[in-house]
Amino acid sequence: MTATSAQFPEFKDRAVLVTGGGSGIGAAIVEGFARQGAKVSFIDIAETAGRALAERLSRETAYSVSFYHADLRDIAAIRRTVDAVVAASGPIRVLVNNAAWDDRHEFDAVTEAYWDNNQAVNLRHVFFASQAVAPSMRSAGGGAIINMSSIAFKLNMGGFPSYAAAKAAVVGLTKSMAGRLGPENIRVNCILPGMVVTERQMQLWLTEESIARSVEQQCLKVALKADAIVGPCLFLASDCAAGMTAQSLIVDGGIL
Ligand SMILES: NC(=O)c1ccc[n+]([C@@H]2O[C@H](COP(=O)([O-])OP(=O)(O)OC[C@H]3O[C@@H](n4cnc5c(N)ncnc54)[C@H](O)[C@@H]3O)[C@@H](O)[C@H]2O)c1
């Protein structure tokens, strides 16, 4: 059985929005929901990859998968996109705040502008996409928000202080939004992936040796791929997790 073979009938015909769905983990999540029969839309800044994914999945799944080209640092663009998704697909029942940018940055070299841009890519849109989607979840009687954090902020890694701060903040934001939105039957949880081998990670940071070193630290002696995050994400969004909110699910092969 693969991570994505489980079926959750409640997703059929429901509108799902994924940020950063054009590549890596986000693309796997888009595909996972599309294969459940959901009406999936995703936002990404990467136009070519986004269009290619939407075209491929639209041929292969029940509904056409909709790609919205936007920069999540632009809050007005998030609001416009959410309005367009609701107009096209109905109230959004699931939001996956997945987009991020794990650029490395040297402690001594970080400027105010770098910091602000990094927080805008890694944290700010998580709040504003949730705020934009909440009215349609309320109108539908509830919904699920899943935020992507990372175990990286727990590992004392020195190479990305702003990214680590944002990923820690995603956990706090998850818990505060869960408190605020719980009475409206909107559940908010987050996932903390460990090392997940994606194309971008391979191009930029990972080598066969570094992958082997990470796998050595894991209980499970296999390198996780993007699919490993799909099952936990479907679960948190599903009725199976109806009693879960304000929680963090670690998916790291057993490092922590
Ligand atoms: N891959 C890992 O090992 C790993 C580990 C822990 C946590 N995570 C988290 O999982 C999530 C997905 O990671 P990934 O490795 O698949 O990342 P990725 O870089 O492959 O994908 C991120 C996507 O977000 C998009 N994006 C970035 N900035 C954007 C912007 N301003 N506007 C719109 N779209 C934008 C990118 O184009 C890309 O498609 C991220 O939140 C990341 O922090 C990943």
Side-chain angles (χ1 to χ4, degrees), residues 6-212:
Q7 286 294 310
F8 300 90
E10 62 269 35
F11 292 138
K12 198 167 170 323
D13 304 331
R14 283 196 178 170
V16 173
L17 177 62
V18 181
T19 69
S23 70
I25 293 169
I29 290 170
V30 166
E31 179 157 1
F33 279 106
R35 294 201 184 283
Q36 298 283 333
K39 298 179 193 167
V40 187
S41 302
F42 67 98
I43 300 175
D44 209 293
I45 199 169
E47 195 165 7
T48 309
R51 290 203 189 291
L53 180 71
E55 277 168 25
R56 176 173 72 78
L57 291 177
S58 297
R59 283 194 303 272
E60 295 175 6
T61 59
Y63 287 102
S64 68
V65 169
S66 303
F67 166 54
Y68 292 84
H69 180 227
D71 184 339
L72 291 155
R73 289 170 295 185
D74 178 350
I75 305 303
I78 294 177
R79 293 178 176 141
R80 276 196 306 276
T81 306
V82 166
D83 288 348
V85 172
V86 173
S89 305
I92 296 168
R93 304 297 299 275
V94 177
L95 168 68
V96 184
N97 283 309
N98 163 79
W101 204 243
D102 63 348
D103 270 0
R104 274 40 175 179
H105 40 280
E106 173 49 39
F107 175 83
D108 291 310
V110 171
T111 61
E112 289 162 87
Y114 181 91
W115 179 272
D116 288 346
N117 184 59
N118 191 280
Q119 295 297 309
V121 175
N122 289 312
L123 176 62
R124 192 174 63 173
H125 62 84
V126 178
F127 176 79
F128 285 101
S130 303
Q131 186 193 54
V133 160
S136 81
M137 289 185 171
R138 281 181 193 125
S139 75
I145 298 173
I146 293 111
N147 301 322
M148 215 54 76
S149 176
S150 171
I151 67 163
F153 80 84
K154 292 172 175 276
L155 296 176
N156 310 338
M157 294 168 81
F160 41 44
S162 180
Y163 174 79
K167 289 298 173 183
V170 166
V171 176
L173 178 57
T174 296
K175 294 186 76 65
S176 179
M177 291 198 298
R180 170 62 182 82
L181 299 173
E184 297 168 310
N185 196 33
I186 299 171
R187 299 182 296 104
V188 191
N189 291 290
C190 65
I191 297 177
L192 281 64
M195 180 193 68
V196 178
V197 180
T198 62
E199 245 172 65
R200 174 175 148 86
Q201 299 293 315
M202 282 308 285
Q203 275 164 11
L204 294 176
W205 326 119
L206 296 177
T207 61
E208 293 307 326
E209 295 72 42
S210 68
I211 292 172

